Amino acid sequence: VQLQTSGGGSVQAGGSLRLSCTASGDTFSRYSVGWFREAPGPARDYLAAISWGGSKYYEDSVKGRFTISRDDAKNTAYLQMDNLKPEDTAVYFCGATTRGVGSYSGAYGGTYDYWGQGTLVTVSS
């Protein structure tokens, strides 16, 4: 499967963005999807995951601000980001795997076999 990440941009603090992760090359409903981000530095930080069955998981710091969803008919997973803060500035990535994910496995980057190219989100104060 190939993943295309889109929807990044520049917003002011308090604003919203919706990121999309669109899959091609395979049946998207077979895949669990996770969202991660990279700020300047070596780590890719986990944000949220959604299993192929629709179960959702979130990293504590984004609960209540970020919402993960999927539309299998459109081969797309989404990350709705509200009340954005300057510290949310990063490159955002989606990953996909045919394995089911849970609250622990979904947070581990190594769970995912396929990755999108990343989309830049810049939040100004």
Side-chain angles (χ1 to χ4, degrees):
V1 69
Q2 293 80 46
L3 302 176
Q4 180 74 33
T5 316
S6 62
S10 297
V11 295
Q12 291 190 324
S16 298
L17 284 172
R18 187 177 77 161
L19 306 183
S20 298
C21 176
T22 301
S24 61
D26 200 350
T27 305
F28 182 63
S29 60
R30 299 177 55 224
Y31 290 84
S32 300
V33 175
W35 284 97
F36 292 73
R37 68 185 176 191
E38 288 183 8
R44 183 171 288 191
D45 297 324
Y46 164 71
L47 299 172
I50 186 165
S51 73
W52 48 258
S55 297
K56 302 176 184 181
Y57 308 93
Y58 296 94
E59 199 278 328
D60 286 346
S61 68
V62 304
K63 282 181 181 177
R65 295 196 302 127
F66 291 8
T67 304
I68 192 169
S69 62
R70 63 188 300 151
D71 185 341
D72 290 343
K74 295 183 178 180
N75 292 338
T76 301
Y78 303 97
L79 186 68
Q80 175 69 40
M81 306 187 296
D82 299 317
N83 190 23
L84 284 161
K85 304 175 182 181
E87 51 264 41
D88 294 317
T89 295
V91 179
Y92 286 68
F93 297 86
C94 64
T97 178
T98 54
R99 287 169 280 190
V101 297
S103 59
Y104 291 103
S105 61
Y108 175 52
T111 294
Y112 301 93
D113 302 305
Y114 308 96
W115 291 92
Q117 83 286 7
T119 186
L120 177 63
V121 171
T122 303
V123 185
S124 58
S125 57

